[in-house]
Amino acid sequence: MHKKLVVGNWKMYGSRSANALLLAGLKEAGPWSAEVVVCVPFPYIAETALALTGQSIAFGAQDCSAHEAGAFTGEVSSMMLADLGCRYVIVGHSERRAHHHESDQLVAEKARAALAHGVTPIVCVGETLAEREAGQTETVVKRQLAAVIHLLTHCIGEIVLAYEPVWAIGTGLTASPEQAQAVHKVLRMQLQAATKKADAMKILYGGSVKPDNAAQLFAQPDIDGGLIGGAALKAADFSAICRAAM
Ligand code: 13P
């Protein structure tokens, strides 16, 4: 059994005082046998790094530029994230794909930029409700992953993959453990065709993971942990999910 990975995606929530409370709560509740990561808004990375010094909780960001450096106002490079000590960066979250029109190709380029600086990209894939109802779930997630495999080639084994059905994000609707496992299996097989490392790679599930459904999801053979939104903002809930990932 590999160690599970539990990642909190704080999205655009938090403040210096709220973050301090949340991180203090997590420090008190840990350590866990799972690997635990918080992906925080850019302005809070440095302070999070300080707060987590000497802790087993890692931290990361929620996006990065596909570019190395240059005249890209408002963008943050993966070199900067590495400089701050980020171990992970989420790329291709459905909220960025939807609101910022990020294409499969751009997401793949961001993953490549992250890897170039030793930051592990957590690449998100997932179908919308309309796509699921039209029976396109497999086609959509495979297309999204294929773009990343195509660009990263032999480095694909270095990423973390996250399956986040869009209809389950922030809605309280969770994919059932069986629904999630079915998609994870498809993704695992696609990775197996691309790399010998596929079985050791982590495929996370995200979408309304809560303390009361986490254990069942994490018990599925191809679910290697979770990408947690809302429940990652409450120390008690997030630590309960981390405990469920034993
Ligand atoms: P929720 O856990 O709030 O559904 O969000 C999931 C998510 O988008 C994590 O990236």
Side-chain angles (χ1 to χ4, degrees), residues 67-230:
H67 301 287
E68 267 302 301
F72 300 104
T73 302
E75 292 229 69
V76 173
S77 73
S78 55
M79 189 273 283
M80 294 169 185
L81 299 183
D83 199 20
L84 286 166
C86 289
R87 205 173 303 160
Y88 292 93
V89 61
I90 297 169
V91 297
H93 192 281
S94 61
E95 287 150 15
R96 293 210 60 89
R97 291 182 190 261
H99 307 316
H100 301 270
H101 311 291
E102 293 194 5
S103 64
D104 296 341
Q105 175 67 21
L106 179 63
V107 171
E109 287 169 11
K110 289 182 173 198
R112 181 174 63 180
L115 280 180
H117 293 281
V119 181
T120 300
I122 300 170
V123 178
C124 302
V125 299
E127 82 288 2
T128 62
L129 185 59
E131 288 164 341
R132 172 161 285 262
E133 285 174 350
Q136 292 170 347
T137 299
E138 267 195 36
T139 314
V140 170
V141 298
K142 284 170 90 171
R143 186 202 74 221
Q144 291 172 331
L145 176 57
V148 186
I149 292 174
H150 180 73
L151 197 73
L152 299 189
T153 61
H154 61 279
C155 293
I156 190 66
E158 309 304 317
I159 74 162
V160 168
L161 187 61
Y163 169 55
E164 295 208 313
V166 179
W167 49 272
I169 295 177
T171 57
L173 293 173
T174 320
S176 68
E178 295 72 27
Q179 280 176 321
Q181 165 58 25
V183 179
H184 280 234
K185 179 85 201 157
V186 166
L187 294 169
R188 180 88 62 198
M189 285 167 63
Q190 192 177 358
L191 290 169
Q192 280 163 345
T195 173
K196 288 193 179 71
K197 294 187 180 168
D199 291 342
M201 288 177 69
K202 291 206 160 60
I203 309 180
L204 311 182
Y205 169 79
S208 299
V209 179
K210 306 288 176 208
D212 60 359
N213 60 21
Q216 279 175 297
L217 287 159
F218 297 162
Q220 299 301 311
D222 289 295
I223 300 184
D224 306 303
L227 182 52
I228 320 300

Side-chain angles (χ1 to χ4, degrees), residues 27 48-55:
K27 284 196 265 186
T48 299
L50 214 57
L52 294 177
T53 305
Q55 298 289 321

